[in-house]
Amino acid sequence: MLVSPVTLEGVHARLEPLAKTHLEGLTLVGLDEALWRWIPTPFRTHEEMSGYIESALNEQQRGVSMPFAIVEKATGRSIGSTRYGNIDRVHLRVEIGWTWVGTQWQRTAINTEAKFLLLRHAFESLGCIRVELKTDSLNERSRAAILRIGAKEEGIFRNHMITASGRVRHTVYFSIVDSEWPEVKTRLQAKLHTLSSRT
């Protein structure tokens, strides 16, 4: 399984390999504290966003992650980030996560399309047999969204991590396996069609 930087193009969104050149755009939309409520470590300053990008690129260099900037195609603006993480080339699996999108683009076609592009590339280009997703057990909105795309809830990792606030987080794990991808793909395409018709 060869996971290398690639640009994934959709109708509304373009996923570009994350680079330091995305810093200013991501800082403009990404310092809203509400964005980081469910993320173990929030980013509140330009310097922290720079460190976030640097850390993601270091993970990419080590071969454990492949981070992307989410770009709004209509404007060319960088509006968020997502990535493949926990890449396992032997067992043909990746995790999709570390995803955030600026507040005004939430609940739009862009976030759904970003997931679709990542899933399609994982199953149809990388040859994955499993894609994992996870979220904070208290994040009901995220849990519902992951279920809506067709992922299966697998269980809860109790006391999984300690957040920046000191709260002990339980993490819910979900997955989609290769045999489920055709049905999930059809569901996501229908959802994208509905969302696109509203714009």
Side-chain angles (χ1 to χ4, degrees), residues 107-181:
R107 305 183 80 83
T108 69
I110 286 179
N111 198 24
T112 300
E113 189 169 56
K115 286 286 190 298
F116 172 76
L117 293 170
L118 289 168
L119 285 166
R120 185 177 65 183
H121 186 68
F123 286 115
E124 298 181 11
S125 298
L126 299 180
C128 289
I129 62 171
R130 170 184 171 87
V131 172
E132 300 170 349
L133 304 100
K134 67 176 185 277
T135 192
D136 192 310
S137 64
L138 298 180
N139 191 346
E140 295 292 345
R141 182 171 159 184
S142 177
R143 291 176 70 168
I146 294 170
L147 288 171
R148 274 198 305 274
I149 68 174
K152 301 289 191 292
E153 183 174 324
E154 295 183 322
I156 297 177
F157 275 37
R158 299 177 300 159
N159 289 3
H160 184 225
M161 56 183 74
I162 300 172
T163 66
S165 68
R167 178 175 65 87
V168 177
R169 165 178 151 163
H170 309 313
T171 299
V172 189
Y173 272 71
F174 301 81
S175 71
I176 300 168
V177 298
D178 53 349
S179 61
E180 297 163 344
W181 169 236

Side-chain angles (χ1 to χ4, degrees), residues 20-166:
K20 293 178 182 179
T21 53
H22 293 111
L23 173 60
E24 298 308 322
L26 293 180
T27 300
L28 282 174
V29 301
L31 300 187
D32 180 353
E33 195 164 330
L35 289 175
W36 308 105
R37 180 180 179 191
W38 303 111
I39 306 297
T41 304
F43 303 94
R44 302 186 182 95
T45 66
H46 183 276
E47 290 72 26
E48 288 176 346
M49 185 63 74
S50 178
Y52 169 83
I53 292 174
E54 193 70 44
S55 174
L57 295 178
N58 285 340
E59 286 191 7
Q60 177 180 319
Q61 195 168 37
R62 290 190 286 116
V64 297
S65 289
M66 181 55 57
F68 297 87
I70 302 173
V71 175
E72 182 183 40
K73 284 186 67 174
T75 63
R77 294 182 66 182
S78 301
I79 59 166
S81 184
T82 189
R83 74 182 75 165
Y84 292 129
N86 294 319
I87 296 168
D88 190 328
R89 292 167 176 82
V90 174
H91 299 293
L92 304 180
R93 67 174 182 253
V94 297
E95 178 181 344
I96 292 175
W98 298 265
T99 304
W100 61 272
V101 180
T103 307
Q104 76 179 81
W105 294 276
Q106 293 177 7
R107 305 183 80 83
T108 69
I110 286 179
N111 198 24
T112 300
E113 189 169 56
K115 286 286 190 298
F116 172 76
L117 293 170
L118 289 168
L119 285 166
R120 185 177 65 183
H121 186 68
F123 286 115
E124 298 181 11
S125 298
L126 299 180
C128 289
I129 62 171
R130 170 184 171 87
V131 172
E132 300 170 349
L133 304 100
K134 67 176 185 277
T135 192
D136 192 310
S137 64
L138 298 180
N139 191 346
E140 295 292 345
R141 182 171 159 184
S142 177
R143 291 176 70 168
I146 294 170
L147 288 171
R148 274 198 305 274
I149 68 174
K152 301 289 191 292
E153 183 174 324
E154 295 183 322
I156 297 177
F157 275 37
R158 299 177 300 159
N159 289 3
H160 184 225
M161 56 183 74
I162 300 172
T163 66
S165 68

